[in-house]
């Protein structure tokens, strides 16, 4: 009877994408709905900006004004997402029935449906392969399999800087 979680597109106020993501993740954690609301994404892409003859790699939102939510659609999940501050509604919603993305749309948007394999232990060294810390080595401090996140310490400027990353943003150093 368990429904499969599907990806839905949520429209937000411009500039509120990350706030909506954080607020939704807090609501999911506070209400213990991780089994129904399984992911919140603000797809980002690396863009090279040129200024004063210098190149700089910056992360920009792929879809400004939109957040992707992987969830099992129920009255509760619909209500929580719809009433999150900064959300204006679901994309493709016909009254109270939002339309999920098709598998082809999910693939075209570059959302990784494959589960990243994680074979790490606390204290192990990893290399960061995404985010502004890309290329830096780090040490695993905590592993959260349920959230598919890992807390690491990145050695920068002679001090350890904590960072929370998704499993697909790191790779094990062999």
């Amino acid at each position: 009877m368990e429904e499969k979680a599907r990806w839905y597109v949520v429209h937000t106020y411009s500039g509120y994408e990350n706030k909506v993501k954080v607020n939704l993740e807090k609501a999911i954690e506070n209400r213990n709905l991780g089994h129904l609301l399984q992911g919140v994404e603000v797809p980002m892409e690396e863009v090279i900006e040129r200024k004063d003859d210098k190149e700089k790699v910056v992360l920009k939102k792929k879809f400004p004004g939109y957040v992707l939510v992987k969830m099992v659609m129920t009255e509760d999940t619909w209500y929580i997402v719809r009433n999150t501050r900064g959300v204006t509604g679901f994309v493709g919603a016909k009254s109270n029935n939002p339309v999920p993305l098709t598998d082809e749309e999910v693939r075209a948007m570059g959302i990784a449906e494959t589960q990243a394999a994680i074979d790490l232990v606390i204290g192990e060294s990893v290399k960061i392969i995404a985010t502004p810390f890309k290329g830096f080595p780090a040490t695993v401090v905590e592993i959260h399999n349920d959230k598919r996140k890992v807390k690491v310490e990145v050695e920068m400027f002679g001090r350890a800087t904590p960072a929370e990353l998704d499993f697909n943003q790191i790779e094990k150093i062999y």
Side-chain angles (χ1 to χ4, degrees):
M1 189 157 163
E2 179 78 18
E3 278 187 64
K4 183 180 182 243
R6 304 285 308 267
W7 284 101
Y8 294 86
V9 180
V10 177
H11 190 264
T12 68
Y13 293 127
S14 181
Y16 275 68
E17 301 88 353
N18 291 325
K19 291 176 188 169
V20 167
K21 178 180 178 176
V22 168
N23 289 339
L24 271 173
E25 288 172 342
K26 282 181 187 173
I28 292 165
E29 189 175 326
N30 291 341
R31 297 177 185 192
N32 292 323
L33 292 175
H35 61 289
L36 295 175
L37 286 154
Q38 299 175 359
V40 183
E41 296 289 328
V42 178
M44 305 290 269
E45 63 184 343
E46 289 183 358
V47 177
I48 298 173
E49 284 187 351
R50 290 191 174 101
K51 188 175 183 182
D52 299 329
D53 293 332
K54 293 180 183 177
E55 287 188 353
K56 183 175 161 185
V57 177
V58 217
L59 285 176
K60 294 230 176 186
K61 294 177 186 96
K62 272 188 182 180
F63 311 110
Y66 297 95
V67 174
L68 303 173
V69 180
K70 185 174 185 179
M71 64 188 222
V72 176
M73 185 59 69
T74 66
E75 290 288 324
D76 289 338
T77 57
W78 177 86
Y79 182 83
I80 289 168
V81 173
R82 180 68 185 89
N83 290 295
T84 298
R85 182 183 210 139
V87 171
T88 60
F90 283 90
V91 173
K94 296 175 184 163
S95 68
N96 289 350
N97 298 324
V99 180
L101 294 173
T102 64
D103 293 338
E104 293 79 32
E105 290 170 326
V106 170
R107 277 191 292 280
M109 290 178 132
I111 304 169
E113 277 295 305
T114 56
Q115 297 294 325
I118 197 76
D119 179 28
L120 294 174
V121 293
I122 293 174
E124 195 164 15
S125 294
V126 294
K127 179 180 169 187
I128 301 173
I129 58 173
T131 76
F133 294 119
K134 183 177 182 176
F136 281 88
T139 304
V140 176
V141 178
E142 295 177 25
I143 301 170
H144 300 283
N145 285 315
D146 54 332
K147 295 180 185 177
R148 308 205 46 75
K149 293 192 180 285
V150 63
K151 284 191 179 178
V152 298
E153 286 187 345
V154 184
E155 187 71 30
M156 290 178 56
F157 308 115
R159 73 171 16 153
T161 304
E164 185 175 81
L165 304 167
D166 294 327
F167 286 173
N168 61 355
Q169 294 177 319
I170 59 169
E171 66 182 23
K172 194 173 182 175
I173 297 176
Y174 294 99

